[in-house]
Amino acid sequence: MLGLNLLAVAAGLAAWWGLTAAGAIGLPGPGDVALQALASARDGQLFGDAAASLARVLAGFLLGIALAVPVGFLMGWYAVARGLVEPYVQFFRVIPPLAIIPLAIVTLGIGEAPKVFVIFLAAFLSSVVATYQGVVGVDRTFIDAARVLGAGDFTIFRRVVVPASTPFIMVGVRIGLGSSWATVVAAELIAAQSGLGFRMQQAQLYYDLPTIFVSLVAIGVLGLAMDRGVVALDRRLTAWQERA
């Protein structure tokens, strides 16, 4: 699989180089982007922007997941909690987190809080529904069998519901991570002074395409690395599950 991944990346770079060398597309080639990345890394700008964006994504993402998992369990396990919470979850799900930016600025100011908040909202809304679906989708046969064997509600929840819903939770975590990175660029429009999204916006003003591509590639690489980490955790937590 790794060999195929590397082959796909090499083919993509070759196609990109070929199209730009032939003048088929008005974009910088891989060489120009690599030179700009080296220049940005040499003066520390690239690492500073990457660290700023990564900190915001991690803060919003971890807060979102930390709240989404218990809320999703409550919605799936208790009908009363589902009736009270689900309307709000479904309401905010149809509102793009980016549309919350003006409200976040007015209520939270222009510091780090509104940036982290919109990322948190994106991660939370993407993950809470997956957790809820995982809980309500647990096979009733497992629960009934546990009750017949004398297990109480807490034991059933801990030994049956949590393991059975973990694959759904991890899917929600991956989706939430992608939503967090997708939101960070817009979040950094809020009076940011650093960050990959901020750098892209600055480069746009001067039509600095290589810098835009450097930021895009950096976001992709960081997001992919974090996603691979989540996949590794998923495999560890769901080692009991049969895989194709």
mmCIF file of all heavy atoms in Angstrom, residues 65 68-69 71-73 75-76 89-90 93 123-138 161 164-176:
data_model
loop_
_atom_site.group_PDB
_atom_site.id
_atom_site.type_symbol
_atom_site.label_atom_id
_atom_site.label_comp_id
_atom_site.label_asym_id
_atom_site.label_seq_id
_atom_site.Cartn_x
_atom_site.Cartn_y
_atom_site.Cartn_z
ATOM 1 N N ILE A 65 -13.982 17.220 20.032
ATOM 2 C CA ILE A 65 -14.117 15.778 20.232
ATOM 3 C C ILE A 65 -14.444 15.463 21.692
ATOM 4 O O ILE A 65 -15.262 14.592 21.993
ATOM 5 C CB ILE A 65 -12.822 15.061 19.805
ATOM 6 C CG1 ILE A 65 -12.575 15.265 18.308
ATOM 7 C CG2 ILE A 65 -12.900 13.576 20.130
ATOM 8 C CD1 ILE A 65 -13.679 14.777 17.411
ATOM 9 N N ALA A 68 -18.075 16.203 21.956
ATOM 10 C CA ALA A 68 -18.941 15.454 21.044
ATOM 11 C C ALA A 68 -19.170 14.021 21.514
ATOM 12 O O ALA A 68 -20.288 13.499 21.409
ATOM 13 C CB ALA A 68 -18.342 15.455 19.636
ATOM 14 N N VAL A 69 -18.122 13.376 22.025
ATOM 15 C CA VAL A 69 -18.261 11.962 22.410
ATOM 16 C C VAL A 69 -19.253 11.785 23.559
ATOM 17 O O VAL A 69 -20.199 10.988 23.449
ATOM 18 C CB VAL A 69 -16.878 11.360 22.741
ATOM 19 C CG1 VAL A 69 -17.041 9.963 23.332
ATOM 20 C CG2 VAL A 69 -16.019 11.294 21.483
ATOM 21 N N VAL A 71 -21.623 13.845 24.587
ATOM 22 C CA VAL A 71 -22.946 14.289 24.153
ATOM 23 C C VAL A 71 -23.574 13.248 23.227
ATOM 24 O O VAL A 71 -24.777 12.940 23.327
ATOM 25 C CB VAL A 71 -22.852 15.663 23.458
ATOM 26 C CG1 VAL A 71 -24.180 16.016 22.781
ATOM 27 C CG2 VAL A 71 -22.498 16.750 24.469
ATOM 28 N N GLY A 72 -22.777 12.681 22.328
ATOM 29 C CA GLY A 72 -23.292 11.644 21.439
ATOM 30 C C GLY A 72 -23.748 10.414 22.190
ATOM 31 O O GLY A 72 -24.785 9.814 21.875
ATOM 32 N N PHE A 73 -22.992 10.028 23.229
ATOM 33 C CA PHE A 73 -23.396 8.884 24.053
ATOM 34 C C PHE A 73 -24.700 9.182 24.789
ATOM 35 O O PHE A 73 -25.586 8.323 24.878
ATOM 36 C CB PHE A 73 -22.301 8.535 25.063
ATOM 37 C CG PHE A 73 -21.250 7.612 24.514
ATOM 38 C CD1 PHE A 73 -19.908 7.947 24.578
ATOM 39 C CD2 PHE A 73 -21.600 6.401 23.935
ATOM 40 C CE1 PHE A 73 -18.935 7.095 24.077
ATOM 41 C CE2 PHE A 73 -20.643 5.536 23.429
ATOM 42 C CZ PHE A 73 -19.307 5.891 23.507
ATOM 43 N N MET A 75 -27.068 11.258 23.901
ATOM 44 C CA MET A 75 -28.161 11.261 22.935
ATOM 45 C C MET A 75 -28.566 9.852 22.535
ATOM 46 O O MET A 75 -29.750 9.553 22.343
ATOM 47 C CB MET A 75 -27.755 12.065 21.693
ATOM 48 C CG MET A 75 -27.644 13.560 21.908
ATOM 49 S SD MET A 75 -26.945 14.392 20.448
ATOM 50 C CE MET A 75 -28.135 13.917 19.182
ATOM 51 N N GLY A 76 -27.582 8.973 22.396
ATOM 52 C CA GLY A 76 -27.886 7.615 21.959
ATOM 53 C C GLY A 76 -28.421 6.722 23.047
ATOM 54 O O GLY A 76 -29.219 5.814 22.784
ATOM 55 N N VAL A 89 -28.489 20.279 17.855
ATOM 56 C CA VAL A 89 -27.418 19.712 17.027
ATOM 57 C C VAL A 89 -27.800 19.768 15.559
ATOM 58 O O VAL A 89 -27.011 20.198 14.702
ATOM 59 C CB VAL A 89 -27.121 18.263 17.463
ATOM 60 C CG1 VAL A 89 -26.175 17.584 16.466
ATOM 61 C CG2 VAL A 89 -26.496 18.239 18.848
ATOM 62 N N GLN A 90 -29.008 19.337 15.245
ATOM 63 C CA GLN A 90 -29.444 19.338 13.856
ATOM 64 C C GLN A 90 -29.579 20.758 13.302
ATOM 65 O O GLN A 90 -29.305 21.010 12.129
ATOM 66 C CB GLN A 90 -30.772 18.593 13.716
ATOM 67 C CG GLN A 90 -30.715 17.141 14.121
ATOM 68 C CD GLN A 90 -29.718 16.335 13.308
ATOM 69 O OE1 GLN A 90 -29.373 16.689 12.189
ATOM 70 N NE2 GLN A 90 -29.228 15.253 13.886
ATOM 71 N N ARG A 93 -26.061 22.039 12.640
ATOM 72 C CA ARG A 93 -25.379 21.271 11.596
ATOM 73 C C ARG A 93 -25.596 21.867 10.211
ATOM 74 O O ARG A 93 -24.730 21.755 9.337
ATOM 75 C CB ARG A 93 -25.860 19.821 11.594
ATOM 76 C CG ARG A 93 -25.164 18.932 12.607
ATOM 77 C CD ARG A 93 -25.596 17.496 12.427
ATOM 78 N NE ARG A 93 -25.144 16.969 11.148
ATOM 79 C CZ ARG A 93 -25.909 16.358 10.269
ATOM 80 N NH1 ARG A 93 -27.212 16.220 10.500
ATOM 81 N NH2 ARG A 93 -25.408 15.886 9.149
ATOM 82 N N ALA A 123 -15.548 20.731 14.411
ATOM 83 C CA ALA A 123 -15.191 19.389 14.870
ATOM 84 C C ALA A 123 -16.333 18.752 15.657
ATOM 85 O O ALA A 123 -16.639 17.567 15.480
ATOM 86 C CB ALA A 123 -13.922 19.452 15.721
ATOM 87 N N PHE A 124 -16.957 19.531 16.518
ATOM 88 C CA PHE A 124 -18.037 19.000 17.352
ATOM 89 C C PHE A 124 -19.208 18.514 16.511
ATOM 90 O O PHE A 124 -19.691 17.385 16.680
ATOM 91 C CB PHE A 124 -18.505 20.068 18.333
ATOM 92 C CG PHE A 124 -19.754 19.698 19.091
ATOM 93 C CD1 PHE A 124 -19.685 18.837 20.175
ATOM 94 C CD2 PHE A 124 -20.988 20.194 18.713
ATOM 95 C CE1 PHE A 124 -20.833 18.476 20.877
ATOM 96 C CE2 PHE A 124 -22.138 19.845 19.393
ATOM 97 C CZ PHE A 124 -22.057 18.980 20.480
ATOM 98 N N LEU A 125 -19.679 19.338 15.605
ATOM 99 C CA LEU A 125 -20.862 18.994 14.816
ATOM 100 C C LEU A 125 -20.596 17.819 13.887
ATOM 101 O O LEU A 125 -21.514 17.052 13.566
ATOM 102 C CB LEU A 125 -21.323 20.215 14.013
ATOM 103 C CG LEU A 125 -21.845 21.382 14.854
ATOM 104 C CD1 LEU A 125 -22.127 22.588 13.967
ATOM 105 C CD2 LEU A 125 -23.096 20.985 15.625
ATOM 106 N N SER A 126 -19.338 17.665 13.447
ATOM 107 C CA SER A 126 -19.005 16.540 12.569
ATOM 108 C C SER A 126 -18.914 15.230 13.331
ATOM 109 O O SER A 126 -19.129 14.153 12.756
ATOM 110 C CB SER A 126 -17.668 16.806 11.863
ATOM 111 O OG SER A 126 -17.726 17.974 11.073
ATOM 112 N N SER A 127 -18.595 15.297 14.616
ATOM 113 C CA SER A 127 -18.330 14.090 15.394
ATOM 114 C C SER A 127 -19.510 13.632 16.231
ATOM 115 O O SER A 127 -19.667 12.432 16.473
ATOM 116 C CB SER A 127 -17.129 14.326 16.312
ATOM 117 O OG SER A 127 -15.997 14.723 15.571
ATOM 118 N N VAL A 128 -20.336 14.565 16.694
ATOM 119 C CA VAL A 128 -21.389 14.186 17.631
ATOM 120 C C VAL A 128 -22.419 13.275 16.973
ATOM 121 O O VAL A 128 -22.904 12.317 17.592
ATOM 122 C CB VAL A 128 -22.060 15.447 18.229
ATOM 123 C CG1 VAL A 128 -22.835 16.227 17.165
ATOM 124 C CG2 VAL A 128 -22.981 15.069 19.381
ATOM 125 N N VAL A 129 -22.736 13.522 15.713
ATOM 126 C CA VAL A 129 -23.736 12.693 15.036
ATOM 127 C C VAL A 129 -23.195 11.282 14.806
ATOM 128 O O VAL A 129 -23.928 10.294 14.945
ATOM 129 C CB VAL A 129 -24.160 13.343 13.703
ATOM 130 C CG1 VAL A 129 -25.106 12.430 12.943
ATOM 131 C CG2 VAL A 129 -24.835 14.680 13.957
ATOM 132 N N ALA A 130 -21.906 11.172 14.461
ATOM 133 C CA ALA A 130 -21.313 9.849 14.260
ATOM 134 C C ALA A 130 -21.349 9.039 15.552
ATOM 135 O O ALA A 130 -21.646 7.837 15.546
ATOM 136 C CB ALA A 130 -19.877 9.999 13.757
ATOM 137 N N THR A 131 -21.040 9.676 16.677
ATOM 138 C CA THR A 131 -21.090 8.989 17.964
ATOM 139 C C THR A 131 -22.514 8.548 18.285
ATOM 140 O O THR A 131 -22.749 7.408 18.713
ATOM 141 C CB THR A 131 -20.571 9.907 19.079
ATOM 142 O OG1 THR A 131 -19.239 10.316 18.776
ATOM 143 C CG2 THR A 131 -20.578 9.191 20.417
ATOM 144 N N TYR A 132 -23.450 9.443 18.070
ATOM 145 C CA TYR A 132 -24.867 9.120 18.324
ATOM 146 C C TYR A 132 -25.317 7.935 17.471
ATOM 147 O O TYR A 132 -25.961 7.005 17.970
ATOM 148 C CB TYR A 132 -25.709 10.362 18.038
ATOM 149 C CG TYR A 132 -27.164 10.092 17.790
ATOM 150 C CD1 TYR A 132 -28.002 9.662 18.809
ATOM 151 C CD2 TYR A 132 -27.714 10.271 16.523
ATOM 152 C CE1 TYR A 132 -29.339 9.414 18.577
ATOM 153 C CE2 TYR A 132 -29.047 10.028 16.280
ATOM 154 C CZ TYR A 132 -29.858 9.600 17.307
ATOM 155 O OH TYR A 132 -31.178 9.349 17.078
ATOM 156 N N GLN A 133 -24.972 7.952 16.191
ATOM 157 C CA GLN A 133 -25.366 6.854 15.307
ATOM 158 C C GLN A 133 -24.710 5.546 15.731
ATOM 159 O O GLN A 133 -25.302 4.466 15.595
ATOM 160 C CB GLN A 133 -25.002 7.185 13.857
ATOM 161 C CG GLN A 133 -25.830 8.281 13.236
ATOM 162 C CD GLN A 133 -27.291 7.904 13.092
ATOM 163 O OE1 GLN A 133 -27.640 6.729 13.032
ATOM 164 N NE2 GLN A 133 -28.162 8.894 13.059
ATOM 165 N N GLY A 134 -23.482 5.641 16.240
ATOM 166 C CA GLY A 134 -22.820 4.436 16.714
ATOM 167 C C GLY A 134 -23.534 3.816 17.891
ATOM 168 O O GLY A 134 -23.667 2.583 17.979
ATOM 169 N N VAL A 135 -24.027 4.636 18.808
ATOM 170 C CA VAL A 135 -24.712 4.124 19.995
ATOM 171 C C VAL A 135 -26.066 3.527 19.621
ATOM 172 O O VAL A 135 -26.406 2.413 20.041
ATOM 173 C CB VAL A 135 -24.874 5.240 21.046
ATOM 174 C CG1 VAL A 135 -25.696 4.733 22.233
ATOM 175 C CG2 VAL A 135 -23.513 5.728 21.526
ATOM 176 N N VAL A 136 -26.858 4.244 18.840
ATOM 177 C CA VAL A 136 -28.191 3.734 18.498
ATOM 178 C C VAL A 136 -28.112 2.559 17.527
ATOM 179 O O VAL A 136 -29.080 1.799 17.379
ATOM 180 C CB VAL A 136 -29.086 4.850 17.902
ATOM 181 C CG1 VAL A 136 -29.285 5.973 18.905
ATOM 182 C CG2 VAL A 136 -28.509 5.389 16.598
ATOM 183 N N GLY A 137 -26.960 2.412 16.861
ATOM 184 C CA GLY A 137 -26.810 1.317 15.911
ATOM 185 C C GLY A 137 -26.292 0.027 16.517
ATOM 186 O O GLY A 137 -26.101 -0.962 15.796
ATOM 187 N N VAL A 138 -26.041 0.008 17.833
ATOM 188 C CA VAL A 138 -25.560 -1.216 18.483
ATOM 189 C C VAL A 138 -26.627 -2.310 18.359
ATOM 190 O O VAL A 138 -27.812 -2.072 18.617
ATOM 191 C CB VAL A 138 -25.233 -0.951 19.965
ATOM 192 C CG1 VAL A 138 -24.854 -2.255 20.672
ATOM 193 C CG2 VAL A 138 -24.096 0.054 20.080
ATOM 194 N N VAL A 161 -21.742 -1.351 24.631
ATOM 195 C CA VAL A 161 -22.064 -0.180 23.814
ATOM 196 C C VAL A 161 -20.807 0.575 23.386
ATOM 197 O O VAL A 161 -20.650 0.932 22.207
ATOM 198 C CB VAL A 161 -23.023 0.758 24.575
ATOM 199 C CG1 VAL A 161 -23.270 2.031 23.779
ATOM 200 C CG2 VAL A 161 -24.340 0.045 24.841
ATOM 201 N N ALA A 164 -18.736 -1.389 20.754
ATOM 202 C CA ALA A 164 -19.465 -1.530 19.491
ATOM 203 C C ALA A 164 -19.585 -0.214 18.736
ATOM 204 O O ALA A 164 -19.657 -0.197 17.502
ATOM 205 C CB ALA A 164 -20.854 -2.103 19.756
ATOM 206 N N SER A 165 -19.618 0.895 19.467
ATOM 207 C CA SER A 165 -19.772 2.194 18.818
ATOM 208 C C SER A 165 -18.425 2.863 18.510
ATOM 209 O O SER A 165 -18.405 3.889 17.823
ATOM 210 C CB SER A 165 -20.612 3.126 19.690
ATOM 211 O OG SER A 165 -20.030 3.278 20.969
ATOM 212 N N THR A 166 -17.320 2.296 18.967
ATOM 213 C CA THR A 166 -16.009 2.908 18.740
ATOM 214 C C THR A 166 -15.686 3.104 17.267
ATOM 215 O O THR A 166 -15.150 4.159 16.887
ATOM 216 C CB THR A 166 -14.908 2.071 19.431
ATOM 217 O OG1 THR A 166 -15.115 2.098 20.839
ATOM 218 C CG2 THR A 166 -13.532 2.635 19.128
ATOM 219 N N PRO A 167 -15.963 2.148 16.368
ATOM 220 C CA PRO A 167 -15.681 2.407 14.941
ATOM 221 C C PRO A 167 -16.403 3.642 14.413
ATOM 222 O O PRO A 167 -15.841 4.409 13.628
ATOM 223 C CB PRO A 167 -16.174 1.127 14.249
ATOM 224 C CG PRO A 167 -16.074 0.072 15.301
ATOM 225 C CD PRO A 167 -16.438 0.758 16.582
ATOM 226 N N PHE A 168 -17.653 3.854 14.831
ATOM 227 C CA PHE A 168 -18.388 5.043 14.406
ATOM 228 C C PHE A 168 -17.752 6.306 14.978
ATOM 229 O O PHE A 168 -17.655 7.333 14.296
ATOM 230 C CB PHE A 168 -19.845 4.947 14.850
ATOM 231 C CG PHE A 168 -20.651 3.906 14.144
ATOM 232 C CD1 PHE A 168 -20.643 2.588 14.581
ATOM 233 C CD2 PHE A 168 -21.407 4.230 13.035
ATOM 234 C CE1 PHE A 168 -21.387 1.621 13.929
ATOM 235 C CE2 PHE A 168 -22.159 3.283 12.375
ATOM 236 C CZ PHE A 168 -22.140 1.971 12.824
ATOM 237 N N ILE A 169 -17.346 6.216 16.238
ATOM 238 C CA ILE A 169 -16.718 7.377 16.873
ATOM 239 C C ILE A 169 -15.454 7.773 16.123
ATOM 240 O O ILE A 169 -15.209 8.955 15.864
ATOM 241 C CB ILE A 169 -16.390 7.070 18.345
ATOM 242 C CG1 ILE A 169 -17.677 6.845 19.135
ATOM 243 C CG2 ILE A 169 -15.584 8.198 18.976
ATOM 244 C CD1 ILE A 169 -17.442 6.359 20.554
ATOM 245 N N MET A 170 -14.649 6.792 15.743
ATOM 246 C CA MET A 170 -13.390 7.094 15.066
ATOM 247 C C MET A 170 -13.628 7.671 13.665
ATOM 248 O O MET A 170 -12.866 8.514 13.200
ATOM 249 C CB MET A 170 -12.520 5.844 14.986
ATOM 250 C CG MET A 170 -12.084 5.314 16.354
ATOM 251 S SD MET A 170 -11.355 6.575 17.426
ATOM 252 C CE MET A 170 -9.902 7.024 16.485
ATOM 253 N N VAL A 171 -14.694 7.226 13.016
ATOM 254 C CA VAL A 171 -15.060 7.856 11.739
ATOM 255 C C VAL A 171 -15.406 9.323 11.968
ATOM 256 O O VAL A 171 -14.995 10.209 11.218
ATOM 257 C CB VAL A 171 -16.238 7.108 11.084
ATOM 258 C CG1 VAL A 171 -16.787 7.903 9.897
ATOM 259 C CG2 VAL A 171 -15.801 5.730 10.622
ATOM 260 N N GLY A 172 -16.173 9.592 13.038
ATOM 261 C CA GLY A 172 -16.509 10.969 13.365
ATOM 262 C C GLY A 172 -15.281 11.790 13.701
ATOM 263 O O GLY A 172 -15.202 12.972 13.347
ATOM 264 N N VAL A 173 -14.312 11.169 14.375
ATOM 265 C CA VAL A 173 -13.069 11.880 14.703
ATOM 266 C C VAL A 173 -12.329 12.266 13.429
ATOM 267 O O VAL A 173 -11.821 13.390 13.304
ATOM 268 C CB VAL A 173 -12.184 11.010 15.615
ATOM 269 C CG1 VAL A 173 -10.788 11.605 15.753
ATOM 270 C CG2 VAL A 173 -12.824 10.868 16.994
ATOM 271 N N ARG A 174 -12.255 11.358 12.475
ATOM 272 C CA ARG A 174 -11.561 11.664 11.209
ATOM 273 C C ARG A 174 -12.286 12.781 10.450
ATOM 274 O O ARG A 174 -11.644 13.676 9.887
ATOM 275 C CB ARG A 174 -11.472 10.416 10.339
ATOM 276 C CG ARG A 174 -10.569 9.326 10.904
ATOM 277 C CD ARG A 174 -10.414 8.185 9.922
ATOM 278 N NE ARG A 174 -9.635 8.605 8.758
ATOM 279 C CZ ARG A 174 -9.428 7.815 7.702
ATOM 280 N NH1 ARG A 174 -9.968 6.605 7.644
ATOM 281 N NH2 ARG A 174 -8.710 8.256 6.685
ATOM 282 N N ILE A 175 -13.608 12.706 10.427
ATOM 283 C CA ILE A 175 -14.368 13.753 9.742
ATOM 284 C C ILE A 175 -14.183 15.087 10.461
ATOM 285 O O ILE A 175 -14.008 16.137 9.837
ATOM 286 C CB ILE A 175 -15.857 13.377 9.665
ATOM 287 C CG1 ILE A 175 -16.038 12.129 8.805
ATOM 288 C CG2 ILE A 175 -16.681 14.534 9.101
ATOM 289 C CD1 ILE A 175 -17.452 11.581 8.806
ATOM 290 N N GLY A 176 -14.208 15.050 11.799
ATOM 291 C CA GLY A 176 -14.004 16.264 12.573
ATOM 292 C C GLY A 176 -12.633 16.866 12.351
ATOM 293 O O GLY A 176 -12.483 18.091 12.296
#
